[in-house]
Amino acid sequence: MSTKRRRCFLFIIHGLAWYYTSKNLLVTIMQRDYPLEKVRNFGIIAHIDAGKTTTTERVLYYTGVSHKIGEVHDGETTTDWMEQERERGITITSAAVTCFWTPTHSASDKDKKHRFNIIDTPGHIDFTVEVKRSLRVLDGAVVVFDGVAGVEPQSETNWRYADEANVPRVCFINKLDRTGASFEHSYATILDRLSKKAIRVQIPIGLEEKHEGVIDLLQMKAFYFEGEMGSKVIEKEIPEEYKADAEKYHAELIEKIVEQDEKILNEYFEGKIPDNATLKSLLRKGVIANEIFPVFAGSALKNKGVQLVLDAVVDYLPSPLDIPSIKGINPDTDEPLERKASDTEPFSALAFKVATDPFVGQIIFFRVYSGTLEAGSYVYNPRTRNKERIGRILRMHANDREEVKKVYAGEIAAAVGLKDTITSDTLCDEANPAELLRIVFPEPVISLRVEPKTKADQEKMGMALNRLAQEDPTFRVSTDQETGETIIAGMGELHLEIIVDRMKREFAVETNVGKPQVAYRETITGTAEVEGKYIKQSGGRGNYGHVRIRVKPMDMSLSKEDIEDLPKSVKREAHFEFVNSIKGGVIPNEYIPACEKGFKEGLDRGVVAGFKMVDVQVELYDGSYHDVDSNEMAFKIASSMAVQDATKIARPVILEPMMKVEVITPEKFMGDVTGSLSSKRGLIDGMEDRGMNKVVKAVVPLSEMFGYMTNLRSMTEGRAGFTMEFLRYDIVPQNVTDEIVKTRK
């Protein structure tokens, strides 16, 4: 071999060696930086004004993400970054933050450092969508309660959403420094209204202005918070005056914990007390199984107790490895499948939020359940049956972002470059497709008519509304077929007010807005059988469709198991059930889907006042067809006509949204408040004391609550306030029905 050839050969060998070495090095560099067992995905949820965002700000400060604490009242918080949030002092959109925490009990051990992916969610009922979708992708939650009010209406709703998603929780009773604060009262409301499985893990040292620290009932130690912003956690002995209570509640706690293991429970009854490590392990097991909800105490504003709540997140809330495998179906075969939280599994992720960023465009937030994803690779969307390229992957810190090359199982991240992905879509590996269960969102209860102020605004308004509807699944846009007006619908007045404000600020669209309208619905209370025929002959081939149907109210009492056991001939959806009872081919199978579509279209416009008809079962039991003239269109029209005729006979009624209302008022205005609610067709549901005030609970129609805040303030010298959330739909009284019908003509 010549010298020149030898050099060339050696050059190639060295080059290949460098390539494989560097490739392996790259793989090493791109490996997961935190093992799965040290990852915690959790949310902070609460009623409005319970102190969620203040708690989150302390978390960011203590974990080193933020070097100063932003206060809600100053409009300087990290997670409330939207202009509207800072102006109003409320959270509107959920914010994702990544940070790191080493538990205080292992502060010197850097191997104990954990990664937190936190989502701060809104408390206001109008933005409940953010809570619902966040809980779907989180492994745990910290539920914050006001130390004065205890459990409030939105706390109950959030708790119910967490139950639905089977999310383990720890409770934090906050604001124990406030006048009127009572840890025991707040704890009692948790037991009474949310769950008997809650148990004190801490009790406060002092209340109101005397609130100094907390007592840990497991360790039987007192903890104080000193230094700048309470950053030093000081362990001391329990003060003498609290020892008796601490001993009593310690015994209660131990008893609750040992119930998680039969063997240890028997040993406990024999007088053998488990050590702290065993107790912590059992408590963790109970929390993950949703058998125990530990309750902590403190004051986020006064920097007391937050670090110990973070310790609890590490000690008791699950990692992605502790939760069951995510379930889904194979979109090609409809067979059920599971994906484990592992980097080696095929990639699967759920898109839970769409946001628009002024700098990078549309961002899709997603939770990776299995496998890994690299920037620049392609993902498959089973809904659209298309592949899309991931441009960039971002790790979010509220409105700041960090670009990463790769994300792993158990992580929450955001993708740039996805055009056809919407909330609830699954992203997966094309070779191993999986479709995860979609998130179910509540229906809007209120609507507004909007029109652009100028011709230029008209063009921009359509784009803005489309963009906002993509971001928020509880926000709907439609067109009134009779007037051609654009109608926007949402969860409340504030929700739609924020939408209109965002159109103006983010999209420079000026609009005229109509009065809020209630999202009424219609249903039937009786049964009916009718025949629908559509026969049209106009020379040549004609149209022939003929159906016989029964309609009746849907059975809403069926459990989840009952619905799963329904026969194949029954197709059940939200608010509609189709029963195919056709025998012997009297209507060919190819026309059945057209009939079903016709029924749905017929129910879109009710027969009383034109509102959407809901909760109706339609049974197709007979009919006929023509060999030549029958077609899908004819059967669809015949079905639509038949269902309209049937619902007219089946005692149709209008339904209206009923709201659960809580009014907090000084005692001297009680009579005025209850009288006012009764005059609004409200049903008084109960009363209770809350500090120096009274709480009036009532169920009131939404239509009667417009402008209620102004009315309430003038009635109570501006000293009362109220909260309201959707409860159910009820039948409208006949006199109100007549008024609604009159306005619709």
Side-chain angles (χ1 to χ4, degrees):
M1 189 184 287
S2 69
T3 305
K4 195 171 179 181
R5 279 190 171 179
R6 192 181 290 114
R7 279 179 183 164
C8 188
F9 181 73
L10 286 169
F11 179 78
I12 291 166
I13 293 294
H14 281 298
L16 286 168
W18 177 86
Y19 171 76
Y20 283 111
T21 307
S22 65
K23 195 177 178 188
N24 288 334
L25 182 66
L26 187 65
V27 168
T28 307
I29 290 168
M30 289 177 64
Q31 284 305 307
R32 170 189 289 283
D33 51 357
Y34 273 79
L36 262 178
E37 62 269 17
K38 289 184 181 169
V39 173
R40 299 289 183 270
N41 297 314
F42 68 98
I44 298 178
I45 58 174
H47 185 90
I48 192 167
D49 286 339
K52 276 178 324 305
T53 302
T54 305
T55 304
T56 308
E57 289 297 317
R58 269 55 187 179
V59 170
L60 299 185
Y61 179 77
Y62 297 134
T63 55
V65 171
S66 172
H67 298 295
K68 76 177 202 51
I69 293 181
E71 302 293 6
V72 174
H73 50 262
D74 294 333
E76 292 179 354
T77 54
T78 306
T79 53
D80 285 353
W81 54 271
M82 289 172 66
E83 285 180 47
Q84 295 94 330
E85 292 179 315
R86 294 189 167 183
E87 284 172 8
R88 297 165 186 261
I90 61 169
T91 305
I92 292 169
T93 181
S94 53
V97 179
T98 299
C99 55
F100 302 90
W101 179 250
T102 306
T104 53
H105 51 73
S106 312
S108 57
D109 189 352
K110 295 303 169 195
D111 288 340
K112 297 285 185 170
K113 198 175 195 180
H114 285 65
R115 165 180 272 152
F116 286 174
N117 297 314
I118 307 173
I119 296 183
D120 175 33
T121 59
H124 200 287
I125 181 64
D126 287 18
F127 311 106
T128 191
V129 61
E130 297 286 347
V131 181
K132 187 142 190 167
R133 62 177 159 200
S134 299
L135 283 170
R136 173 61 196 277
V137 298
L138 293 170
D139 303 331
V142 175
V143 190
V144 182
F145 299 96
D146 185 319
V148 178
V151 173
E152 296 174 272
Q154 192 61 22
S155 314
E156 294 181 66
T157 304
N158 293 341
W159 194 272
R160 192 170 66 249
Y161 288 161
D163 279 341
E164 286 171 12
N166 211 26
V167 171
R169 282 143 274 176
V170 300
C171 304
F172 177 50
I173 296 178
N174 185 29
K175 299 191 176 184
L176 292 175
D177 60 303
R178 279 184 62 198
T179 304
S182 168
F183 176 83
E184 288 303 317
H185 164 74
S186 300
Y187 176 65
T189 62
I190 295 172
L191 293 176
D192 185 43
R193 298 181 204 171
L194 302 181
S195 176
K196 299 290 184 199
K197 296 174 182 176
I199 189 76
R200 305 172 190 84
V201 176
Q202 291 178 351
I203 55 172
I205 300 170
L207 291 168
E208 302 180 350
E209 73 275 3
K210 293 177 181 173
H211 179 50
E212 296 174 30
V214 297
I215 293 166
D216 187 303
L217 298 171
L218 199 59
Q219 299 178 62
M220 290 301 280
K221 294 286 182 186
F223 289 91
Y224 298 85
F225 305 86
E226 297 174 5
E228 191 181 354
M229 300 297 180
S231 53
K232 286 183 183 170
V233 181
I234 311 295
E235 182 185 309
K236 294 183 182 179
E237 293 301 314
I238 298 172
E240 200 61 41
E241 66 266 33
Y242 291 98
K243 276 188 177 173
D245 280 348
E247 289 289 348
K248 183 175 89 173
Y249 298 139
H250 172 72
E252 279 181 20
L253 176 62
I254 304 296
E255 208 165 296
K256 186 85 172 176
I257 292 172
V258 295
E259 285 174 5
Q260 305 307 307
D261 188 293
E262 200 168 325
K263 184 184 168 201
I264 292 172
L265 179 63
N266 291 332
E267 288 176 355
Y268 175 74
F269 284 139
E270 289 165 10
K272 188 180 174 185
I273 307 288
D275 59 33
N276 260 13
T278 305
L279 288 169
K280 280 183 84 169
S281 163
L282 284 176
L283 180 52
R284 176 177 180 80
K285 179 186 167 186
V287 172
I288 292 172
N290 278 316
E291 290 299 323
I292 299 179
F293 301 112
V295 181
F296 294 80
S299 165
L301 188 67
K302 294 293 189 286
N303 311 307
K304 290 179 174 55
V306 175
Q307 297 99 313
L308 300 184
V309 173
L310 295 182
D311 288 355
V313 168
V314 170
D315 293 339
Y316 308 126
L317 288 186
S319 75
L321 292 173
D322 297 315
I323 59 168
S325 304
I326 190 74
K327 290 180 171 60
I329 59 164
N330 184 320
D332 299 330
T333 63
D334 283 346
E335 287 178 9
L337 53 77
E338 289 186 6
R339 289 275 192 268
K340 293 188 182 77
S342 166
D343 297 343
T344 57
E345 286 262 312
F347 172 72
S348 67
L350 187 73
F352 67 95
K353 181 174 177 173
V354 178
T356 303
D357 187 282
F359 302 104
V360 296
Q362 190 164 280
I363 296 176
I364 309 294
F365 287 78
F366 62 94
R367 158 74 189 263
V368 183
Y369 283 100
S370 62
T372 62
L373 180 66
E374 285 188 55
S377 60
Y378 283 85
V379 291
Y380 179 67
N381 186 332
R383 182 184 61 83
T384 61
R385 303 276 171 173
N386 288 328
K387 283 196 304 182
E388 286 194 87
R389 185 176 177 273
I390 301 281
R392 292 157 63 197
I393 300 173
L394 307 172
R395 192 171 282 148
M396 303 302 290
H397 303 285
N399 65 329
D400 295 324
R401 61 194 72 79
E402 168 199 357
E403 195 164 337
V404 292
K405 294 293 180 196
K406 192 173 183 179
V407 285
Y408 300 84
E411 292 194 30
I412 293 171
V416 179
L418 299 173
K419 298 285 187 278
D420 296 325
T421 303
I422 59 172
T423 299
S424 236
D425 277 359
T426 301
L427 304 172
C428 61
D429 176 10
E430 191 179 15
N432 297 280
E435 190 165 9
L436 307 178
L437 291 172
R438 300 188 73 79
I439 310 169
V440 179
F441 294 107
E443 293 287 315
V445 295
I446 193 167
S447 61
L448 283 177
R449 296 173 186 271
V450 291
E451 60 178 30
K453 280 191 176 177
T454 65
K455 189 84 174 164
D457 288 322
Q458 190 165 4
E459 292 170 12
K460 290 189 289 186
M461 189 175 87
M463 184 191 76
L465 289 173
N466 184 45
R467 190 77 57 82
L468 291 165
Q470 278 183 337
E471 287 186 22
D472 185 350
T474 59
F475 172 62
R476 308 280 170 81
V477 184
S478 59
T479 305
D480 189 314
Q481 298 299 326
E482 291 177 4
T483 63
E485 292 173 304
T486 301
I487 296 166
I488 59 173
M491 299 307 294
E493 286 182 89
L494 181 62
H495 186 196
L496 296 181
E497 192 184 317
I498 295 291
I499 291 281
V500 171
D501 192 40
R502 286 188 65 189
M503 277 203 292
K504 184 178 177 179
R505 295 194 197 206
E506 294 172 31
F507 301 94
V509 176
E510 296 281 351
T511 56
N512 293 320
V513 180
K515 283 184 180 175
Q517 303 289 318
V518 176
Y520 292 106
R521 293 176 179 173
E522 294 181 27
T523 192
I524 55 173
T525 56
T527 59
E529 285 190 26
V530 299
E531 178 179 37
K533 275 187 180 179
Y534 181 70
I535 305 171
K536 201 167 184 181
Q537 204 71 40
S538 54
R541 192 169 176 179
N543 289 287
Y544 183 93
H546 174 216
V547 296
R548 292 179 190 268
I549 67 166
R550 292 188 192 97
V551 299
K552 67 176 185 180
M554 240 170 106
D555 186 356
M556 305 305 289
S557 63
L558 296 184
S559 66
K560 196 175 178 182
E561 289 75 24
D562 293 336
I563 294 168
E564 286 171 359
D565 292 339
L566 287 170
K568 285 188 175 178
S569 60
V570 179
K571 195 172 173 184
R572 191 178 180 100
E573 299 174 11
H575 308 301
F576 173 71
E577 189 171 83
F578 172 56
V579 183
N580 178 12
S581 299
I582 294 295
K583 302 279 191 298
V586 291
I587 297 175
N589 276 336
E590 65 258 34
Y591 299 138
I592 302 295
C595 294
E596 185 187 348
K597 197 172 178 185
F599 298 141
K600 285 182 181 176
E601 286 184 6
L603 294 171
D604 273 345
R605 188 166 176 83
V607 294
V608 182
F611 300 108
K612 186 179 174 70
M613 188 80 67
V614 296
D615 303 337
V616 177
Q617 185 200 78
V618 182
E619 183 186 1
L620 176 63
Y621 70 91
D622 199 7
S624 62
Y625 73 103
H626 190 279
D627 286 336
V628 178
D629 291 347
S630 283
N631 55 56
E632 287 184 358
M633 182 59 74
F635 272 99
K636 191 173 97 170
I637 294 170
S639 299
S640 181
M641 290 162 58
V643 83
Q644 283 269 312
D645 292 341
T647 50
K648 284 174 186 169
I649 304 167
R651 301 200 303 275
V653 292
I654 296 177
L655 300 172
E656 64 180 342
M658 304 298 287
M659 311 305 283
K660 185 162 75 174
V661 178
E662 274 197 10
V663 182
I664 302 155
T665 175
E667 190 171 358
K668 72 174 198 177
F669 303 113
M670 270 268 293
D672 294 336
V673 167
T674 52
S676 165
L677 290 170
S678 299
S679 71
K680 295 181 178 294
R681 296 194 283 126
L683 182 69
I684 307 297
D685 212 18
M687 300 176 196
E688 65 178 47
D689 293 328
R690 189 171 296 171
M692 303 296 288
N693 293 320
K694 295 281 185 183
V695 178
V696 181
K697 299 178 180 183
V699 177
V700 191
L702 174 61
S703 58
E704 303 284 347
M705 292 301 291
F706 293 136
Y708 182 62
M709 181 52 89
T710 309
N711 186 8
L712 183 65
R713 280 175 180 160
S714 63
M715 192 192 316
T716 60
E717 300 170 3
R719 291 169 64 189
F722 82 102
T723 58
M724 171 171 85
E725 66 171 319
F726 172 72
L727 181 62
R728 61 175 185 263
Y729 270 90
D730 276 357
I731 296 173
V732 174
Q734 190 55 50
N735 62 320
V736 181
T737 299
D738 295 341
E739 286 296 317
I740 295 168
V741 172
K742 203 184 289 181
T743 59
R744 298 282 288 182
K745 284 182 177 174

